[in-house]
Amino acid sequence: MDLDLSESELAFRAEARAWLKANVPAEPLPSMDTEAGFRAHQEWEAKLAEARWSVVSWPTAYHGREASLVEWVIFEEEYYRAGAPGRVSQNGIFLLAPILFDHGTQEQQDRFLPSMATGEQVWAQAWSEPEAGSDLASLRSTATRDDERGGWLLNGQKTWSSRASYAHWGFGLFRSDPSAQRHAGLTYFLFPLGAEGVTVRPIAQLDGEAGFAEIFLEDVFVPDSDVLGEPGDGWRVAMSTAGNERGLSLRSPGRFCAAADRLVELWRERGDDQPTAADRVADAWIKAQAYRLYTWGTVTRLAAGGDMGAAGSVNKVFWSELDVALHETALELLGPEAEVESAWTDGYLFSLSGPIYAGTNEIQRNIVAERLLGLPREPRGQNR
């Protein structure tokens, strides 16, 4: 792992830093979980895409720069350092797009990727169900073959679907062969949220905003052209998505390094009033730097042809717990003022979801124990 950047990488960083300094909004955008905020974030995505900063690693035909993985991490670090807005398109560009590149047809890539990059079409996750959260393979939503029209009829319910309240398309798994074993007979579908038979019911969060929604599907027709991968092969396709979410893509080190730097500044302002928080401030900063170095190690491995594998579960547990601890320390430093300091409070409320989404940390620890450490599988379905 060589942390010395080349001349071209240094030039890339300088260009990104200059553009962000000139273009990041002076005031935070309204919450993307409100209608007005959602539109404002779409406009920001369009501005990023126009300057080819929305999806730097993508081909130029899809608004990208064909940047290397190293340059992608550089850009993410600069993006968070600049305090740029959250990405309303992140479900699409970080989770779905890598799968489209790996499993999608050329027609699907040409049809979906450009509008995803510009924010014109925003995607919602349609994974969890009322009885299928971390145990995704227990899902009950079905896909029934419609040979007459050349497609499928989707039925069922999805819940905790992020961005679904205002998004345009959804992606997720449906059981297409009920006689197959749990992890088989699943198919990965893309479907418009405005299609006939789709009902979207927003779910209010603690702050009253609808960052999630339930999706009800009743005989929703999806053509064969909107199946991602092969019918019945959905689990393998979906696990590619999960690897991206738990591993490198969604949680670049820039997010945590920038937050840790802000925490240090807060300590310099408030530390005299909270001397016992010093160790936790130092611990958060050190862990953010450790995560950064770990990420660069992952970049090196991926660039050499390796893959994320089960190590993504280690990554997921680490960053989600770091996020909670970092924000708890900030709130302790703020004391009673934390109730009116929206940036840190909002960040804390969001951090609490980290150990749950992308597969609960309890499930991730099982994966680490069984697949990385080679420990015996946990007894299941038995009285213990």
Side-chain angles (χ1 to χ4, degrees):
M1 179 175 63
D2 185 359
L3 295 180
D4 292 327
L5 301 180
S6 67
E7 288 188 10
S8 63
E9 289 163 350
L10 289 170
F12 178 88
R13 184 174 67 181
E15 183 184 358
R17 184 176 295 179
W19 189 90
L20 289 165
K21 182 178 180 180
N23 290 278
V24 168
E27 297 294 330
L29 298 181
S31 169
M32 69 177 75
D33 295 331
T34 64
E35 185 172 1
F38 186 88
R39 307 303 174 207
H41 280 79
Q42 277 189 288
E43 293 174 3
W44 169 248
E45 297 286 346
K47 189 171 187 176
L48 282 171
E50 184 179 7
R52 297 190 179 275
W53 291 115
S54 173
V55 284
V56 295
S57 62
W58 290 15
T60 55
Y62 301 140
H63 301 284
R65 291 174 174 247
E66 301 188 16
S68 67
L69 188 54
V70 169
E71 289 171 329
W72 177 80
V73 176
I74 290 171
F75 177 74
E76 289 292 296
E77 289 184 338
E78 294 302 322
Y79 192 87
Y80 283 104
R81 183 178 288 114
R87 302 298 301 274
V88 73
S89 291
Q90 69 178 25
N91 286 333
I93 61 178
F94 292 150
L95 297 183
L96 178 58
I99 314 308
L100 276 170
F101 281 118
D102 288 344
H103 300 278
T105 65
Q106 188 65 55
E107 186 275 335
Q108 288 174 331
Q109 294 173 12
D110 292 342
R111 181 156 53 103
F112 292 124
L113 291 173
S115 61
M116 187 187 297
T118 62
E120 180 183 356
Q121 300 290 326
V122 175
W123 290 76
Q125 291 176 277
W127 292 117
S128 297
E129 299 183 4
E131 297 185 30
S134 295
D135 185 13
L136 183 61
S138 64
L139 63 86
R140 297 184 178 183
S141 293
T142 62
T144 306
R145 184 67 192 161
D146 185 340
D147 287 320
E148 184 175 344
R149 289 189 285 177
W152 304 78
L153 293 176
L154 305 185
N155 284 277
Q157 177 186 355
K158 301 291 184 176
T159 193
W160 303 116
S161 298
S162 58
R163 303 282 86 80
S165 298
Y166 305 107
H168 309 94
W169 282 76
F171 59 90
L173 284 178
F174 292 78
R175 192 166 298 284
S176 53
D177 183 356
S179 65
Q181 294 184 350
R182 292 171 24 102
H183 295 86
L186 300 174
T187 300
Y188 197 125
F189 289 94
L190 313 175
F191 58 94
L193 294 178
E196 182 178 356
V198 175
T199 300
V200 177
R201 183 180 299 167
I203 300 174
Q205 302 173 118
L206 285 173
D207 55 11
E209 297 174 356
F212 300 91
E214 297 175 286
I215 303 174
F216 299 88
L217 304 103
E218 185 174 356
D219 288 338
V220 177
F221 177 74
V222 176
D224 288 330
S225 58
D226 289 344
V227 172
L228 186 51
E230 295 297 322
D233 195 33
W235 185 259
R236 185 174 67 89
V237 177
M239 287 306 96
S240 299
T241 305
N244 278 285
E245 184 176 10
R246 293 170 188 163
L248 186 65
S249 296
L250 260 186
R251 296 295 171 254
S252 75
R255 172 185 168 186
F256 303 106
C257 289
D261 287 344
R262 291 197 299 272
L263 180 63
V264 170
E265 289 302 315
L266 184 63
W267 163 252
R268 287 172 176 164
E269 297 171 5
R270 309 269 184 150
D272 291 343
D273 298 328
Q274 296 285 350
T276 59
D279 288 347
R280 290 192 295 281
V281 172
D283 185 65
W285 189 88
I286 291 169
K287 285 181 176 177
Q289 295 302 316
Y291 180 67
R292 179 175 183 268
L293 294 175
Y294 178 89
T295 300
W296 281 113
T298 302
V299 168
T300 301
R301 184 170 70 253
L302 295 177
D307 55 32
M308 182 71 67
S313 293
V314 177
N315 223 9
K316 195 270 172 174
V317 171
F318 188 89
W319 63 248
S320 59
E321 295 189 346
L322 167 61
D323 204 19
V324 174
L326 192 154
H327 282 85
E328 285 180 342
T329 304
L331 296 187
E332 181 179 338
L333 287 170
L334 287 167
E337 292 182 35
E339 296 185 14
V340 295
E341 177 52 64
S342 60
W344 282 112
T345 302
D346 289 348
Y348 172 66
L349 292 176
F350 181 77
S351 75
L352 295 178
S353 65
I356 301 172
Y357 69 79
T360 64
N361 283 8
E362 290 77 11
I363 295 294
Q364 302 314 313
R365 287 188 171 90
N366 279 348
I367 293 173
V368 171
E370 295 169 6
R371 301 183 191 176
L372 291 180
L373 301 180
L375 298 177
R377 290 179 62 85
E378 176 189 17
R380 292 168 185 149
Q382 303 175 12
N383 293 325
R384 306 197 293 278

